[in-house]
Amino acid sequence: QVHVVESGGGSVQSGGSLRLSCAASGGTYRRLYMGWFRQAPGKEREGVAAIDSDGSTAYLDSVKGRFTVSQDNAKNLLYLQMDNLKPEDTAMYYCAADPVRHYFADLLRESRYNYWGQGTQVTVSS
């Protein structure tokens, strides 16, 4: 069983920055494919950013140019640097992991990940 834990959330003012971290451990998998998702109150969960094994990245259109995803493959650690935060970025942010590599087009698809963390809250005030 894979255990996923997020950290780094908090409250900031508009224009501020936060860095989220995610650690995945357990199971017998040497390598996990990981991504970031978020869910705002009253809205569906959406894919925010993910990184493929060759370093290719995928981003939600509204965060492009402001968020940067990175990964330490050897340690199954995933990061999300969030700059120029906006009130509409307010949400619970979740990290997801899966041992199977899928198509690049599926990186931000919720259904391709089998293991999820409990989430970390990000609140951006105007």
Side-chain angles (χ1 to χ4, degrees):
Q1 183 71 18
V2 176
H3 188 52
V4 180
V5 179
E6 307 96 337
S7 61
S11 298
V12 296
Q13 290 189 330
S14 182
S17 298
L18 283 173
R19 179 178 171 85
L20 304 183
S21 298
C22 173
S25 60
T28 59
Y29 311 110
R30 184 175 65 86
R31 166 67 195 267
L32 292 167
Y33 299 89
M34 302 168 71
W36 289 102
F37 291 76
R38 71 185 182 186
Q39 187 168 22
K43 296 187 177 181
E44 293 186 353
R45 189 153 56 183
E46 60 183 358
V48 176
I51 186 166
D52 204 353
S53 59
D54 63 357
S56 301
T57 54
Y59 294 96
L60 180 68
D61 284 347
S62 62
V63 307
K64 287 180 180 178
R66 301 187 297 119
F67 290 13
T68 303
V69 62
S70 59
Q71 184 171 10
D72 182 334
N73 295 336
K75 299 180 180 179
N76 287 323
L77 298 172
L78 187 72
Y79 305 99
L80 185 66
Q81 177 66 40
M82 305 185 295
D83 298 318
N84 191 21
L85 282 159
K86 303 176 180 181
E88 50 264 43
D89 295 318
T90 295
M92 183 71 78
Y93 283 71
Y94 298 91
C95 178
D98 196 88
V100 179
R101 185 183 185 189
H102 291 261
Y103 294 114
F104 177 82
D106 293 334
L107 276 180
L108 296 183
R109 185 165 296 176
E110 185 176 348
S111 61
R112 73 75 86 236
Y113 296 94
N114 280 297
Y115 301 100
W116 293 80
Q118 293 299 309
T120 184
Q121 179 68 38
V122 171
T123 303
V124 185
S125 58
S126 58

